[in-house]
Amino acid sequence: MENSTVSFYFNLTMFVNIGHYRYPVFVFCLLLYSFILSANLVIIVVISRERTLHEPMYAFIALLSVNSLYGSTGFFPRFLMDLLSDTHLISRHACFTQIYVIYTYASYEMTILGIIAYDRYVAICHPLHYHRKMNNKTVRKLAALAWICPAFGIMALISLSVWLPLCGNEIQKIFCANWNVVKLSCVNTLVNNIYGLLLTICTVFFPLCYVLYTYLRILMVCWKSSAEFKGKVFQSCLPHVVTFVIYSITGFCDIALSRYNIEEINPFVAVILSLEFVVIPPVLNPLVYGLKLPEIRRHILRLLTWYKIIK
């Protein structure tokens, strides 16, 4: 075992790659964060106010927006401060807190998208049983399951990492990530690796396979249906498919980046790949659902019209 170095701080080294661009990046990211807050809040307010939107699918869409606010707030305030700072040190406590927030945000996103896929599957493949299977009690159970299970899984992951003796404090990222901390360990991390792999399979690949399975079944039903039915299914499912594909790509990029040697990648590209995971889904989710689903779009326009009249 190497001599471990005791440090109460981690150094986020990737901010060096931003260099003189940090002020334009700060302004851009501040505007982006403001848009994420306002757009997702509009989705939440519209769905909560309008009784016609008090249905399972819209409740889960509102959960996606809540999760976007949660993940963005766990990332942007600290990131904006670091952009204007000359030093990029983060305490161990703050680092593991950030890991917990960002990792639970990622897990929640995947589980909620999986639940939306189940909702669409029941609505399209078993329409006569939809209201029985997707009643208020079931919706509450699924929502609780989507939040509670990942929270305990990530908590166990961090518990395995927090006690590791470390031989360094430099994290090659713009935010704290569990694998980057584990790589600093002076001891064998086989247990951390195995548990991390199992957690990734449970929170990423199981929902991924399930979503693919549900849409395969939906396609089989649509294949034998009328053009009008196909149009309704397309309108209902397209936002979810777009959201799921975008999130899967950004999530894969982040996982690949954490396992790859950052020094072999263009610094600017590395920063972009690090940012997209926590930026693109919260930005696109309200746009996709707000613009593609006519029920939400209509109520948003009505809310904006009412606001203009009051103003």
mmCIF file of all heavy atoms in Angstrom, residues 238-268:
data_model
loop_
_atom_site.group_PDB
_atom_site.id
_atom_site.type_symbol
_atom_site.label_atom_id
_atom_site.label_comp_id
_atom_site.label_asym_id
_atom_site.label_seq_id
_atom_site.Cartn_x
_atom_site.Cartn_y
_atom_site.Cartn_z
ATOM 1 N N LEU A 238 -43.738 10.172 -28.923
ATOM 2 C CA LEU A 238 -42.546 10.820 -29.475
ATOM 3 C C LEU A 238 -41.756 11.623 -28.436
ATOM 4 O O LEU A 238 -40.519 11.491 -28.371
ATOM 5 C CB LEU A 238 -42.923 11.715 -30.656
ATOM 6 C CG LEU A 238 -41.752 12.448 -31.329
ATOM 7 C CD1 LEU A 238 -40.758 11.446 -31.905
ATOM 8 C CD2 LEU A 238 -42.251 13.388 -32.420
ATOM 9 N N PRO A 239 -42.402 12.472 -27.598
ATOM 10 C CA PRO A 239 -41.610 13.222 -26.608
ATOM 11 C C PRO A 239 -40.823 12.316 -25.675
ATOM 12 O O PRO A 239 -39.668 12.612 -25.347
ATOM 13 C CB PRO A 239 -42.682 14.011 -25.837
ATOM 14 C CG PRO A 239 -43.823 14.127 -26.781
ATOM 15 C CD PRO A 239 -43.821 12.843 -27.557
ATOM 16 N N HIS A 240 -41.440 11.208 -25.264
ATOM 17 C CA HIS A 240 -40.746 10.289 -24.366
ATOM 18 C C HIS A 240 -39.564 9.626 -25.056
ATOM 19 O O HIS A 240 -38.487 9.470 -24.470
ATOM 20 C CB HIS A 240 -41.723 9.232 -23.856
ATOM 21 C CG HIS A 240 -41.073 8.226 -22.957
ATOM 22 N ND1 HIS A 240 -40.834 6.931 -23.338
ATOM 23 C CD2 HIS A 240 -40.582 8.336 -21.693
ATOM 24 C CE1 HIS A 240 -40.235 6.281 -22.355
ATOM 25 N NE2 HIS A 240 -40.079 7.109 -21.340
ATOM 26 N N VAL A 241 -39.746 9.224 -26.306
ATOM 27 C CA VAL A 241 -38.665 8.592 -27.067
ATOM 28 C C VAL A 241 -37.500 9.560 -27.239
ATOM 29 O O VAL A 241 -36.331 9.205 -27.028
ATOM 30 C CB VAL A 241 -39.171 8.110 -28.436
ATOM 31 C CG1 VAL A 241 -38.013 7.624 -29.305
ATOM 32 C CG2 VAL A 241 -40.200 6.991 -28.275
ATOM 33 N N VAL A 242 -37.812 10.817 -27.612
ATOM 34 C CA VAL A 242 -36.778 11.835 -27.791
ATOM 35 C C VAL A 242 -36.020 12.065 -26.489
ATOM 36 O O VAL A 242 -34.778 12.096 -26.456
ATOM 37 C CB VAL A 242 -37.401 13.156 -28.300
ATOM 38 C CG1 VAL A 242 -36.358 14.276 -28.281
ATOM 39 C CG2 VAL A 242 -37.957 12.983 -29.704
ATOM 40 N N THR A 243 -36.762 12.223 -25.393
ATOM 41 C CA THR A 243 -36.146 12.446 -24.083
ATOM 42 C C THR A 243 -35.266 11.277 -23.682
ATOM 43 O O THR A 243 -34.139 11.462 -23.196
ATOM 44 C CB THR A 243 -37.237 12.655 -23.010
ATOM 45 O OG1 THR A 243 -38.064 13.748 -23.379
ATOM 46 C CG2 THR A 243 -36.618 12.944 -21.656
ATOM 47 N N PHE A 244 -35.761 10.082 -23.894
ATOM 48 C CA PHE A 244 -35.023 8.884 -23.497
ATOM 49 C C PHE A 244 -33.735 8.732 -24.304
ATOM 50 O O PHE A 244 -32.677 8.415 -23.748
ATOM 51 C CB PHE A 244 -35.902 7.649 -23.674
ATOM 52 C CG PHE A 244 -35.252 6.386 -23.210
ATOM 53 C CD1 PHE A 244 -35.177 6.086 -21.859
ATOM 54 C CD2 PHE A 244 -34.698 5.499 -24.122
ATOM 55 C CE1 PHE A 244 -34.556 4.927 -21.426
ATOM 56 C CE2 PHE A 244 -34.083 4.337 -23.696
ATOM 57 C CZ PHE A 244 -34.015 4.043 -22.340
ATOM 58 N N VAL A 245 -33.809 8.959 -25.609
ATOM 59 C CA VAL A 245 -32.626 8.841 -26.472
ATOM 60 C C VAL A 245 -31.564 9.877 -26.082
ATOM 61 O O VAL A 245 -30.378 9.560 -25.956
ATOM 62 C CB VAL A 245 -33.012 8.987 -27.959
ATOM 63 C CG1 VAL A 245 -31.771 9.138 -28.828
ATOM 64 C CG2 VAL A 245 -33.837 7.795 -28.415
ATOM 65 N N ILE A 246 -32.012 11.122 -25.886
ATOM 66 C CA ILE A 246 -31.075 12.193 -25.509
ATOM 67 C C ILE A 246 -30.399 11.877 -24.186
ATOM 68 O O ILE A 246 -29.172 11.995 -24.044
ATOM 69 C CB ILE A 246 -31.803 13.545 -25.425
ATOM 70 C CG1 ILE A 246 -32.217 14.003 -26.829
ATOM 71 C CG2 ILE A 246 -30.927 14.608 -24.759
ATOM 72 C CD1 ILE A 246 -33.120 15.211 -26.833
ATOM 73 N N TYR A 247 -31.199 11.442 -23.209
ATOM 74 C CA TYR A 247 -30.620 11.151 -21.894
ATOM 75 C C TYR A 247 -29.666 9.966 -21.958
ATOM 76 O O TYR A 247 -28.612 9.968 -21.307
ATOM 77 C CB TYR A 247 -31.723 10.878 -20.878
ATOM 78 C CG TYR A 247 -31.170 10.646 -19.497
ATOM 79 C CD1 TYR A 247 -30.662 11.709 -18.752
ATOM 80 C CD2 TYR A 247 -31.092 9.364 -18.967
ATOM 81 C CE1 TYR A 247 -30.108 11.499 -17.508
ATOM 82 C CE2 TYR A 247 -30.542 9.146 -17.718
ATOM 83 C CZ TYR A 247 -30.053 10.222 -16.996
ATOM 84 O OH TYR A 247 -29.495 10.011 -15.760
ATOM 85 N N SER A 248 -30.016 8.942 -22.734
ATOM 86 C CA SER A 248 -29.148 7.771 -22.861
ATOM 87 C C SER A 248 -27.800 8.150 -23.468
ATOM 88 O O SER A 248 -26.745 7.691 -23.007
ATOM 89 C CB SER A 248 -29.827 6.701 -23.718
ATOM 90 O OG SER A 248 -31.023 6.256 -23.121
ATOM 91 N N ILE A 249 -27.822 9.010 -24.494
ATOM 92 C CA ILE A 249 -26.576 9.425 -25.145
ATOM 93 C C ILE A 249 -25.705 10.235 -24.196
ATOM 94 O O ILE A 249 -24.499 9.988 -24.063
ATOM 95 C CB ILE A 249 -26.884 10.235 -26.426
ATOM 96 C CG1 ILE A 249 -27.526 9.327 -27.479
ATOM 97 C CG2 ILE A 249 -25.606 10.869 -26.985
ATOM 98 C CD1 ILE A 249 -28.022 10.077 -28.697
ATOM 99 N N THR A 250 -26.306 11.219 -23.519
ATOM 100 C CA THR A 250 -25.529 12.060 -22.596
ATOM 101 C C THR A 250 -25.009 11.243 -21.414
ATOM 102 O O THR A 250 -23.888 11.443 -20.956
ATOM 103 C CB THR A 250 -26.370 13.236 -22.082
ATOM 104 O OG1 THR A 250 -27.573 12.747 -21.450
ATOM 105 C CG2 THR A 250 -26.745 14.168 -23.215
ATOM 106 N N GLY A 251 -25.834 10.309 -20.917
ATOM 107 C CA GLY A 251 -25.385 9.451 -19.819
ATOM 108 C C GLY A 251 -24.239 8.552 -20.225
ATOM 109 O O GLY A 251 -23.268 8.371 -19.485
ATOM 110 N N PHE A 252 -24.329 7.975 -21.437
ATOM 111 C CA PHE A 252 -23.250 7.119 -21.940
ATOM 112 C C PHE A 252 -21.957 7.922 -22.092
ATOM 113 O O PHE A 252 -20.872 7.430 -21.753
ATOM 114 C CB PHE A 252 -23.647 6.513 -23.287
ATOM 115 C CG PHE A 252 -22.537 5.747 -23.949
ATOM 116 C CD1 PHE A 252 -22.214 4.460 -23.527
ATOM 117 C CD2 PHE A 252 -21.802 6.320 -24.984
ATOM 118 C CE1 PHE A 252 -21.188 3.759 -24.136
ATOM 119 C CE2 PHE A 252 -20.772 5.620 -25.587
ATOM 120 C CZ PHE A 252 -20.464 4.330 -25.158
ATOM 121 N N CYS A 253 -22.060 9.153 -22.591
ATOM 122 C CA CYS A 253 -20.862 10.000 -22.758
ATOM 123 C C CYS A 253 -20.194 10.268 -21.421
ATOM 124 O O CYS A 253 -18.958 10.252 -21.315
ATOM 125 C CB CYS A 253 -21.235 11.313 -23.436
ATOM 126 S SG CYS A 253 -21.665 11.150 -25.184
ATOM 127 N N ASP A 254 -21.003 10.509 -20.382
ATOM 128 C CA ASP A 254 -20.429 10.792 -19.063
ATOM 129 C C ASP A 254 -19.754 9.553 -18.488
ATOM 130 O O ASP A 254 -18.654 9.637 -17.921
ATOM 131 C CB ASP A 254 -21.515 11.287 -18.116
ATOM 132 C CG ASP A 254 -20.948 11.696 -16.772
ATOM 133 O OD1 ASP A 254 -20.305 12.764 -16.702
ATOM 134 O OD2 ASP A 254 -21.110 10.938 -15.789
ATOM 135 N N ILE A 255 -20.402 8.387 -18.621
ATOM 136 C CA ILE A 255 -19.804 7.143 -18.119
ATOM 137 C C ILE A 255 -18.498 6.842 -18.857
ATOM 138 O O ILE A 255 -17.479 6.491 -18.247
ATOM 139 C CB ILE A 255 -20.787 5.970 -18.272
ATOM 140 C CG1 ILE A 255 -21.990 6.165 -17.343
ATOM 141 C CG2 ILE A 255 -20.094 4.647 -17.954
ATOM 142 C CD1 ILE A 255 -23.090 5.153 -17.545
ATOM 143 N N ALA A 256 -18.511 7.004 -20.190
ATOM 144 C CA ALA A 256 -17.307 6.742 -20.982
ATOM 145 C C ALA A 256 -16.192 7.714 -20.623
ATOM 146 O O ALA A 256 -15.016 7.325 -20.534
ATOM 147 C CB ALA A 256 -17.639 6.845 -22.472
ATOM 148 N N LEU A 257 -16.563 8.986 -20.403
ATOM 149 C CA LEU A 257 -15.554 9.994 -20.069
ATOM 150 C C LEU A 257 -14.890 9.693 -18.730
ATOM 151 O O LEU A 257 -13.678 9.880 -18.574
ATOM 152 C CB LEU A 257 -16.201 11.384 -20.035
ATOM 153 C CG LEU A 257 -15.256 12.572 -19.800
ATOM 154 C CD1 LEU A 257 -14.306 12.732 -20.974
ATOM 155 C CD2 LEU A 257 -16.050 13.859 -19.594
ATOM 156 N N SER A 258 -15.661 9.234 -17.753
ATOM 157 C CA SER A 258 -15.104 8.956 -16.434
ATOM 158 C C SER A 258 -14.127 7.786 -16.466
ATOM 159 O O SER A 258 -13.232 7.695 -15.628
ATOM 160 C CB SER A 258 -16.233 8.670 -15.430
ATOM 161 O OG SER A 258 -16.910 7.479 -15.779
ATOM 162 N N ARG A 259 -14.300 6.883 -17.441
ATOM 163 C CA ARG A 259 -13.422 5.715 -17.542
ATOM 164 C C ARG A 259 -12.248 5.948 -18.489
ATOM 165 O O ARG A 259 -11.318 5.134 -18.545
ATOM 166 C CB ARG A 259 -14.231 4.500 -18.048
ATOM 167 C CG ARG A 259 -15.397 4.134 -17.147
ATOM 168 C CD ARG A 259 -14.950 3.338 -15.946
ATOM 169 N NE ARG A 259 -16.023 3.152 -14.987
ATOM 170 C CZ ARG A 259 -15.975 2.308 -13.965
ATOM 171 N NH1 ARG A 259 -14.894 1.578 -13.775
ATOM 172 N NH2 ARG A 259 -16.971 2.213 -13.121
ATOM 173 N N TYR A 260 -12.276 7.034 -19.235
ATOM 174 C CA TYR A 260 -11.255 7.298 -20.249
ATOM 175 C C TYR A 260 -10.185 8.224 -19.678
ATOM 176 O O TYR A 260 -10.432 8.980 -18.725
ATOM 177 C CB TYR A 260 -11.909 7.942 -21.479
ATOM 178 C CG TYR A 260 -11.089 7.836 -22.743
ATOM 179 C CD1 TYR A 260 -11.022 6.647 -23.456
ATOM 180 C CD2 TYR A 260 -10.381 8.934 -23.226
ATOM 181 C CE1 TYR A 260 -10.280 6.543 -24.625
ATOM 182 C CE2 TYR A 260 -9.633 8.845 -24.394
ATOM 183 C CZ TYR A 260 -9.591 7.648 -25.082
ATOM 184 O OH TYR A 260 -8.845 7.556 -26.235
ATOM 185 N N ASN A 261 -9.026 8.180 -20.249
ATOM 186 C CA ASN A 261 -7.938 9.059 -19.834
ATOM 187 C C ASN A 261 -8.191 10.459 -20.399
ATOM 188 O O ASN A 261 -8.104 10.685 -21.610
ATOM 189 C CB ASN A 261 -6.594 8.512 -20.320
ATOM 190 C CG ASN A 261 -5.425 9.311 -19.779
ATOM 191 O OD1 ASN A 261 -5.598 10.275 -19.023
ATOM 192 N ND2 ASN A 261 -4.218 8.914 -20.157
ATOM 193 N N ILE A 262 -8.516 11.397 -19.515
ATOM 194 C CA ILE A 262 -8.877 12.759 -19.924
ATOM 195 C C ILE A 262 -7.751 13.437 -20.694
ATOM 196 O O ILE A 262 -7.987 14.236 -21.609
ATOM 197 C CB ILE A 262 -9.245 13.611 -18.687
ATOM 198 C CG1 ILE A 262 -10.471 13.033 -17.995
ATOM 199 C CG2 ILE A 262 -9.489 15.057 -19.071
ATOM 200 C CD1 ILE A 262 -11.731 13.127 -18.814
ATOM 201 N N GLU A 263 -6.501 13.109 -20.358
ATOM 202 C CA GLU A 263 -5.357 13.778 -20.978
ATOM 203 C C GLU A 263 -5.247 13.469 -22.474
ATOM 204 O O GLU A 263 -4.573 14.192 -23.207
ATOM 205 C CB GLU A 263 -4.070 13.371 -20.255
ATOM 206 C CG GLU A 263 -4.034 13.837 -18.791
ATOM 207 C CD GLU A 263 -2.790 13.346 -18.078
ATOM 208 O OE1 GLU A 263 -2.015 12.587 -18.712
ATOM 209 O OE2 GLU A 263 -2.595 13.718 -16.908
ATOM 210 N N GLU A 264 -5.895 12.398 -22.928
ATOM 211 C CA GLU A 264 -5.844 12.027 -24.342
ATOM 212 C C GLU A 264 -6.952 12.683 -25.164
ATOM 213 O O GLU A 264 -7.037 12.472 -26.368
ATOM 214 C CB GLU A 264 -5.938 10.500 -24.477
ATOM 215 C CG GLU A 264 -4.779 9.761 -23.811
ATOM 216 C CD GLU A 264 -4.912 8.258 -23.942
ATOM 217 O OE1 GLU A 264 -5.834 7.816 -24.662
ATOM 218 O OE2 GLU A 264 -4.099 7.529 -23.334
ATOM 219 N N ILE A 265 -7.824 13.465 -24.499
ATOM 220 C CA ILE A 265 -8.950 14.117 -25.179
ATOM 221 C C ILE A 265 -8.678 15.612 -25.271
ATOM 222 O O ILE A 265 -8.043 16.204 -24.386
ATOM 223 C CB ILE A 265 -10.264 13.873 -24.414
ATOM 224 C CG1 ILE A 265 -10.490 12.375 -24.211
ATOM 225 C CG2 ILE A 265 -11.458 14.477 -25.146
ATOM 226 C CD1 ILE A 265 -11.716 12.054 -23.378
ATOM 227 N N ASN A 266 -9.161 16.231 -26.344
ATOM 228 C CA ASN A 266 -9.073 17.678 -26.460
ATOM 229 C C ASN A 266 -9.717 18.321 -25.235
ATOM 230 O O ASN A 266 -10.851 17.962 -24.867
ATOM 231 C CB ASN A 266 -9.801 18.128 -27.734
ATOM 232 C CG ASN A 266 -9.741 19.632 -27.929
ATOM 233 O OD1 ASN A 266 -10.462 20.374 -27.282
ATOM 234 N ND2 ASN A 266 -8.890 20.056 -28.849
ATOM 235 N N PRO A 267 -9.033 19.274 -24.558
ATOM 236 C CA PRO A 267 -9.570 19.858 -23.321
ATOM 237 C C PRO A 267 -10.966 20.454 -23.479
ATOM 238 O O PRO A 267 -11.818 20.277 -22.610
ATOM 239 C CB PRO A 267 -8.540 20.945 -22.972
ATOM 240 C CG PRO A 267 -7.287 20.497 -23.633
ATOM 241 C CD PRO A 267 -7.699 19.794 -24.884
ATOM 242 N N PHE A 268 -11.206 21.161 -24.583
ATOM 243 C CA PHE A 268 -12.509 21.787 -24.806
ATOM 244 C C PHE A 268 -13.601 20.724 -24.961
ATOM 245 O O PHE A 268 -14.691 20.848 -24.407
ATOM 246 C CB PHE A 268 -12.456 22.670 -26.045
ATOM 247 C CG PHE A 268 -13.724 23.424 -26.310
ATOM 248 C CD1 PHE A 268 -14.079 24.519 -25.533
ATOM 249 C CD2 PHE A 268 -14.573 23.022 -27.332
ATOM 250 C CE1 PHE A 268 -15.260 25.210 -25.766
ATOM 251 C CE2 PHE A 268 -15.749 23.705 -27.578
ATOM 252 C CZ PHE A 268 -16.095 24.805 -26.795
#
